[in-house]
């Protein structure tokens, strides 16, 4: 005897209030402007956005290729190509990991750190409007953004 399927009750999509929609739209606008400025700043240094992001990460600390791929949310083979191009320009170097010589670390050279610093200094979009906020407002904004990222 065939079994009867119980009809599913359709899930109700929660109604999103206009304020939430406006906030989502504003976040999208901020992200879009940030990426636009970041790509422009990268281009001024003859870098792609991905190259600039990788160089910025490496200016903070040397990282293994797998970790870079995780941070950039891309395949390790893509990271290898980006590191190859930055290495050819003298901005990045590969070195053995002191804790495991089988692992290669990518590290920014002095010139690479200089370019990363210059790139970071040229990003005015977020920095200038944030400077108009009080210290307490920036703390509050940071806390709200962190809460959004934790969910």
């Amino acid at each position: 005897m065939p079994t009867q399927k119980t009809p599913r009750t359709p899930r109700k999509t929660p109604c999103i209030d206009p304020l939430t929609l406006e906030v989502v739209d504003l976040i999208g606008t901020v992200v879009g402007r940030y990426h636009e400025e970041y790509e422009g700043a990268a281009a001024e240094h003859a870098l792609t956005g991905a190259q600039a992001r990788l160089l910025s990460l490496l200016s903070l600390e040397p990282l293994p290729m797998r970790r870079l791929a995780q941070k950039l949310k891309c395949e390790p083979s893509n990271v290898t190509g980006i590191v190859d191009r930055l290495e050819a320009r003298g901005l990045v170097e590969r070195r053995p990991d002191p804790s495991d010589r089988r692992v290669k670390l990518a590290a920014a050279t002095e010139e690479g750190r200089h370019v990363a610093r210059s790139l970071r200094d040229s990003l005015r979009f977020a920095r200038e409007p944030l400077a108009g906020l009080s210290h307490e407002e920036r703390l509050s904004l940071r806390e709200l953004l962190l809460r959004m990222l934790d969910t």
Side-chain angles (χ1 to χ4, degrees):
M1 181 169 184
T3 60
Q4 287 185 317
K5 290 187 178 181
T6 308
R8 287 191 202 174
T9 55
R11 275 203 238 169
K12 287 189 177 184
T13 306
C15 232
I16 300 175
D17 64 283
L19 176 60
T20 299
L21 290 174
E22 183 181 4
V23 170
V24 168
D25 188 48
L26 288 168
I27 290 170
T29 301
V30 166
V31 168
R33 280 196 193 166
Y34 178 81
H35 281 293
E36 185 179 304
E37 184 171 321
Y38 197 88
E39 294 288 329
E44 287 177 21
H45 295 282
L47 297 170
T48 64
Q51 289 171 336
R53 284 188 294 282
L54 188 141
L55 186 58
S56 292
L57 286 170
L58 294 179
S59 72
L60 302 173
E61 64 178 326
L63 292 167
M65 304 293 241
R66 282 202 186 284
R67 187 71 185 117
L68 278 168
Q70 290 169 342
K71 285 183 171 276
L72 294 173
K73 296 179 178 24
C74 67
E75 292 296 317
S77 59
N78 291 346
V79 169
T80 300
I82 296 169
V83 169
D84 286 345
R85 288 185 284 286
L86 292 173
E87 189 174 36
R89 289 187 51 192
L91 301 175
V92 168
E93 63 186 11
R94 288 177 170 92
R95 50 174 89 141
D97 185 337
S99 63
D100 183 351
R101 297 191 62 78
R102 296 169 296 172
V103 175
K104 289 284 186 192
L105 297 177
T109 62
E110 185 59 40
E111 177 64 18
R113 284 188 295 279
H114 173 73
V115 169
R117 209 171 15 260
S118 175
L119 178 66
R120 197 170 31 253
D121 290 347
S122 68
L123 296 174
R124 292 172 296 283
F125 168 69
R127 187 179 58 239
E128 289 174 4
L130 285 172
L133 300 177
S134 71
H135 180 75
E136 291 76 23
E137 289 171 325
R138 289 193 309 275
L139 284 172
S140 179
L141 179 58
R142 181 187 68 187
E143 291 306 313
L144 292 170
L145 292 171
L146 288 170
R147 277 181 43 201
M148 286 180 69
L149 292 171
D150 281 344
T151 58

